Amino acid sequence: MKAKMQKAILDHSMINDGDSIVVALSGGADSVALLHALNSVKEKYNIRLYACHLNHMIRGEEADSDELFAKKLCDSLSVQLFVKHVDVPKLAQEQKISLELCGRNVRYEFFSELSDKLGAKVATAHTASDNTETVLYNISRGTSLNGLCGIKPVRDYIIRPLIYSSREEIESYCSENALCFVTDSTNLTDDYTRNNIRHNCVPVLKQVNQDLFSTVSRMCSNLRDVKEFLDKISEKELKNCKTENGYSCEKLLSLESAVLSNALFMILKDSGVDATYRHIDMIVDELSLGGCVDLPSNKRAVCKQGVLRIIDVDDTVEPFEMKFKNFKFVEQISYKEIKNINKNLLNDCISCDIITDETVVRNRREGDTFSLCGRNVTKSLKKLLNELKVPSEKRSTLLLVANGSTVLWLEGVGVSKDGIKNGYTNGAYRILGVKND
């Protein structure tokens, strides 16, 4: 195990001379072996070693006993230990998420805090066995190529020195070095999905291939290389597909199937969506037909007017209204100043004669109309925004100036014919901070 640990460190440049390393210490065999092994080579790598323990408060006295074990182990190795208590069951209930997900979120928040505080990398005791279980879990729920790549040996400040070692090898290391460890009782049941895979799926697959963990590790390594290459192509193509408000559906559909799927996964990941191939297949269908797909995390993929956008489902905008004369982002200019003003800036000027005590600044409402300058045409604001291809989720955030339902000026469009009906003889109000011309 120790030799495999050092090979993993070397292969993935996990540790540099003088690094500070925090070992995530649960008290189980994996984390105990990791702390002991790293402590035995700390002079070789010239590292400063710490440990951290999170009490999830899930198992009552058993959790407290694990914490005490971690403290005694660190004292025996002269390693400084950081401990944090979080009531995960209560927090999971408040956030309406599973215990597994909540526990994971809390752990990585703790790791991030310590990494920032100590300027350290955090070493987790993920093993080749964990990697195999993760891949099987991802396959069972539907995954992208990224899910088949398994657990990354290095991710940001997280390192995984035991990623080449199996759980059996780790337990042998503990036995050879007379290391005690604790066993989490929740790991002995099939109540959790990963435990079910560990106890029931993995043994069957090992009957087919005794070298299962190493085989899966090699597959993941190869697929990570493929994923890196595919990501480079996808990033380049996405730049070409980008439009002002999203991505061109036509250009996306012109991509090779593998590139298109990967590119869509990248778009969704950037939007905070944990998607599966089912979501990708549904979006691909809508790229040509037009429509929308509901996604996790209260997101929605919208394919409209030839553009793919990812929007927030709960992104509702409250009605807004204020008197125009209380609106701070305007300046009054004289007729003389208007004659010398830049033509583009004039587009944001409303005739003083049009403004009354009833003129308001607000967002849009049903029944609003807009008269186009230079044309004897009055359109409903809804139709105008459709013609201008303004994304539907942005329309209610646009500011406008209106007398009743008559729009005098619209953000991003400018002044209407009604806004300059009597010219600028008595000067104008210029809207500031909207256009950069």
Side-chain angles (χ1 to χ4, degrees):
M1 185 214 80
K2 188 172 177 179
K4 285 188 175 182
M5 181 190 77
Q6 294 186 83
K7 180 172 173 27
I9 290 172
L10 179 63
D11 287 352
H12 301 284
S13 302
M14 292 183 181
I15 297 176
N16 299 315
D17 184 74
D19 275 348
S20 293
I21 308 292
V22 180
V23 175
L25 179 63
S26 66
D30 300 343
S31 63
V32 167
L34 176 59
L35 179 62
H36 184 272
L38 283 178
N39 192 59
S40 70
V41 296
K42 64 182 179 182
E43 285 79 16
K44 175 181 177 179
Y45 293 108
N46 187 30
I47 59 175
R48 187 176 183 87
L49 196 62
Y50 304 91
C52 67
H53 179 84
L54 182 68
N55 187 330
H56 295 83
M57 301 174 67
I58 295 176
R59 294 171 289 117
E61 292 182 3
E62 187 178 331
D64 294 336
S65 178
D66 291 351
E67 179 184 330
L68 181 60
F69 172 84
K71 289 178 179 177
K72 289 181 177 179
L73 175 62
C74 288
D75 286 343
S76 69
L77 297 175
S78 299
V79 172
Q80 184 177 357
L81 175 68
F82 296 89
V83 177
K84 184 174 183 178
H85 296 80
V86 179
D87 190 339
V88 170
K90 180 180 178 182
L91 186 61
Q93 188 175 23
E94 290 174 352
Q95 297 181 353
K96 298 181 180 179
I97 58 177
S98 69
L99 277 177
E100 286 179 283
L101 178 58
C102 186
R104 184 185 186 282
N105 292 343
V106 168
R107 280 196 302 277
Y108 280 91
E109 286 173 10
F110 187 28
F111 297 162
S112 180
E113 291 169 8
L114 289 175
S115 178
D116 291 341
K117 177 181 177 180
L118 301 171
K121 296 175 180 176
V122 176
T124 65
H126 287 95
T127 67
S129 305
D130 292 319
N131 183 59
T132 297
E133 292 160 11
T134 295
V135 171
L136 292 173
Y137 173 77
N138 290 342
I139 290 173
S140 67
R141 66 187 291 269
T143 186
S144 66
L145 176 59
N146 191 54
L148 295 177
C149 291
I151 300 172
K152 291 183 179 180
V154 177
R155 180 173 61 84
D156 299 325
Y157 62 89
I158 303 289
I159 62 174
R160 288 152 177 146
L162 298 186
I163 200 64
Y164 289 170
S165 304
S166 70
R167 192 166 290 116
E168 291 81 1
E169 290 168 338
I170 288 166
E171 290 180 357
S172 293
Y173 177 87
C174 291
S175 179
E176 291 165 5
N177 291 276
L179 297 175
C180 297
F181 54 87
V182 298
T183 301
D184 185 339
S185 61
T186 60
N187 289 335
L188 302 177
T189 72
D190 292 340
D191 294 341
Y192 297 100
T193 304
R194 289 180 183 274
N195 289 355
N196 201 2
I197 291 172
R198 180 181 305 158
H199 298 152
N200 300 301
C201 298
V202 171
V204 174
L205 292 174
K206 288 195 72 175
Q207 290 177 14
V208 178
N209 179 7
Q210 282 296 315
D211 201 26
L212 175 68
F213 300 137
S214 297
T215 300
V216 173
S217 292
R218 285 194 297 273
M219 178 197 76
C220 291
S221 178
N222 291 335
L223 289 178
R224 279 193 290 271
D225 290 339
V226 173
K227 181 67 164 61
E228 184 177 344
F229 177 70
L230 189 56
D231 281 350
K232 289 180 181 178
I233 297 175
S234 300
E235 287 172 1
K236 180 179 178 181
E237 294 296 346
L238 280 177
K239 288 180 181 178
N240 183 48
C241 295
K242 194 78 177 71
T243 68
E244 181 181 356
N245 297 312
Y247 297 88
S248 165
C249 294
E250 181 181 359
K251 290 183 178 180
L252 285 171
L253 286 170
S254 71
L255 302 178
E256 293 289 340
S257 177
V259 177
L260 173 58
S261 294
N262 195 62
L264 290 175
F265 271 115
M266 294 175 75
I267 291 172
L268 295 179
K269 183 179 179 182
D270 287 344
S271 300
V273 177
D274 182 17
T276 66
Y277 267 116
R278 181 177 65 85
H279 298 118
I280 298 302
D281 290 342
M282 292 169 68
I283 293 174
V284 170
D285 289 341
E286 300 304 332
L287 287 176
S288 55
L289 300 174
C292 60
V293 176
D294 286 332
L295 302 167
S297 305
N298 290 321
K299 302 282 186 177
R300 179 175 293 154
V302 177
C303 301
K304 194 173 182 181
Q305 298 172 325
V307 176
L308 167 66
R309 303 188 306 278
I310 310 300
I311 67 172
D312 293 314
V313 176
D314 295 332
D315 190 15
T316 55
V317 179
E318 295 295 326
F320 166 82
E321 180 178 307
M322 69 181 302
K323 293 288 186 182
F324 179 83
K325 292 182 178 179
N326 295 332
F327 190 53
K328 296 180 180 179
F329 301 100
V330 295
E331 67 174 359
Q332 191 168 359
I333 51 180
S334 67
Y335 178 71
K336 181 179 180 181
E337 290 173 310
I338 288 173
K339 290 196 296 183
N340 297 319
I341 201 169
N342 181 289
K343 183 179 179 181
N344 289 327
L345 295 179
L346 191 62
N347 195 43
D348 287 318
C349 292
I350 305 172
S351 171
C352 285
D353 294 336
I354 303 300
I355 301 299
T356 71
D357 288 338
E358 303 304 315
T359 305
V360 296
V361 178
R362 58 174 174 83
N363 48 9
R364 70 177 185 138
R365 293 177 185 166
E366 192 69 31
D368 284 341
T369 60
F370 191 97
S371 298
L372 297 166
C373 287
R375 297 169 58 186
N376 191 27
V377 178
T378 297
K379 299 176 181 285
S380 71
L381 190 56
K382 180 178 181 179
K383 184 176 182 179
L384 176 65
L385 294 174
N386 279 334
E387 292 176 357
L388 295 175
K389 296 184 177 181
V390 177
S392 55
E393 67 274 11
K394 291 185 177 181
R395 296 180 185 183
S396 293
T397 67
L398 296 177
L399 288 181
L400 57 84
V401 179
N403 283 337
S405 61
T406 301
V407 178
L408 308 178
W409 172 90
L410 175 64
E411 179 182 350
V413 177
V415 70
S416 72
K417 183 178 179 182
D418 291 305
I420 55 173
K421 187 175 291 184
N422 298 323
Y424 296 111
T425 304
N426 293 315
Y429 289 104
R430 178 184 160 213
I431 312 293
L432 302 174
V434 175
K435 299 182 75 66
N436 296 319
D437 302 277

